[in-house]
Amino acid sequence: MIRIGFLMRDMLCSTIYDKARVKSILIIRMNRIGDMIYTLPVIRTLKKEFPFAKITVLAEPANAEVASTEAAVDEVLVYRKGRGLFHNRYSRIALLLGARRFDLAVSVKGGFSSFFALIAAISGARYRIGYRSSSGHILDKLYNLPADPIDFSRTHQLDACLHLLSPLGIGEHIRDISLRIPNTFLEKASAFFCKKGIEHRDNVIIMNISSNRAASAWSPERFVALGRALSEESGCFSIVCSSPDEAQQARDVSGRIGENSYYYQTESPLAFAAAASLCSVLVSGDGGASHLAAAVGTPVVALFGKTSPGIWRPHGEMNIVLQAEQGGVEAIPVKNVLAAILSAGLLIKKVKD
């Protein structure tokens, strides 16, 4: 009821933005791993603008771990879907926010979302930022510092996220998406590589065989063919990873590639990021793995099907995007991926005897 009172107060009274009043910030960023990675620049920019403000991130289980590594974040609240009588997501979010008071709420999403608008309202924040609907929506009024919509079909997610801050008049944005990996994950990955005799980063490929979307999935047979071809061409090591539910399939792919190919168990996003940081290049369908690798500075060959690379290509000049002319990622030939890796010098080509 208190939050509703704050909301009614702000809707009935004109809002004059006063930077000095911002002492507590709520960042709303649900969804997946890539979504949170491209929210990191927003968080860092806000921390620079409001150095003494407490920053809280509202996340979901899939992307909360990424937010938890960010030094500018003081608290991560993880929203989990309920069941039965406790399935109402708005009441669960209200309970999760509890008695916390926020001065600024930012709904970070590349476009208008009624769900995010309502979360911003539930937060009771004095100032609420989010994209207005391009066609006009009754819930636009829940944002008292709205951002004007842009052409989201031609705008990379990083730029779409940062544009949200335009109502605050911030002159310079931080575009850094780098991810800090805790030592425990790095030590585990390093120990695994050392045990397998992998000493140099310049000849190790990591392949993520999992995808949340069928159109973004490359078949196990194609990963096997690529691993074998790269082993023949460069004598490289292959690290095969997957989501936990596809672990056996990843083991099978690694075994079929043969010598110098190893399955590495990645039970979390940071476990994968640690392994990727020790490799020369990642090959993966578009999705969270490609953005994690980009965030730790590992070159990426990202395979795109129907997803727009203009919006979701991994950020960074060294990354390569291959897109199927028609259909999904499966239409991309192995030879094209092999050529992209070798021509870019991402692996050292073996000198033939």
Side-chain angles (χ1 to χ4, degrees), residues 122-329:
I122 289 169
S123 76
R126 178 176 295 274
Y127 307 118
R128 299 176 301 281
I129 292 177
Y131 276 118
R132 291 188 296 104
S133 169
S134 57
S135 58
H137 194 287
I138 190 172
L139 295 184
D140 286 344
K141 296 182 181 296
L142 296 179
Y143 293 126
N144 53 12
L145 290 177
D148 292 329
I150 55 179
D151 187 352
F152 299 109
S153 66
R154 297 177 179 271
T155 305
H156 191 275
Q157 185 68 190
L158 171 60
D159 297 302
C161 291
L162 286 172
H163 182 72
L164 270 168
L165 302 181
S166 56
L168 300 178
I170 298 175
E172 184 177 348
H173 293 155
I174 296 173
R175 299 179 61 82
D176 176 26
I177 67 164
S178 62
L179 186 66
R180 181 179 62 86
I181 307 172
N183 286 336
T184 51
F185 293 97
L186 286 172
E187 290 168 359
K188 181 179 178 180
S190 296
F192 176 86
F193 278 45
C194 183
K195 182 178 180 180
K196 301 301 183 183
I198 304 174
E199 299 178 356
H200 303 290
R201 176 177 172 170
D202 59 8
N203 233 27
V204 187
I205 181 175
I206 184 168
M207 297 182 283
N208 175 61
I209 70 167
S210 298
S211 177
N212 291 318
R213 299 178 297 274
S216 300
W218 219 33
S219 67
E221 289 71 26
R222 291 189 182 274
F223 279 110
V224 170
L226 177 65
R228 289 174 176 173
L230 285 171
S231 178
E232 174 63 26
E233 289 286 339
S234 68
C236 70
F237 289 91
S238 294
I239 304 297
V240 182
C241 297
S242 70
S243 59
D245 59 328
E246 293 185 291
Q248 187 54 55
Q249 191 173 73
R251 290 189 181 92
D252 293 342
V253 168
S254 176
R256 290 167 61 192
I257 291 173
E259 188 178 5
N260 292 336
S261 178
Y262 304 101
Y263 164 72
Y264 184 71
Q265 182 176 353
T266 52
E267 65 281 357
S268 72
L270 291 181
F272 174 81
S277 72
L278 302 177
C279 296
S280 316
V281 58
L282 164 75
V283 174
S284 175
D286 71 273
S290 66
H291 302 300
L292 284 169
V296 298
T298 297
V300 178
V301 176
L303 311 180
F304 275 72
K306 298 178 181 179
T307 306
S308 170
I311 301 173
W312 285 109
R313 71 174 295 137
H315 180 63
E317 295 181 358
M318 59 188 173
N319 300 318
I320 298 170
V321 166
L322 300 178
Q323 186 167 29
E325 293 182 4
Q326 292 183 338
V329 163

Side-chain angles (χ1 to χ4, degrees), residues 75-95:
E75 184 179 23
V76 179
L77 302 176
V78 184
Y79 164 71
R80 302 178 191 277
K81 295 179 180 178
R83 295 180 180 180
L85 295 175
F86 304 99
H87 77 280
N88 185 279
R89 54 185 180 177
Y90 299 110
S91 61
R92 291 181 67 83
I93 288 171
L95 287 171

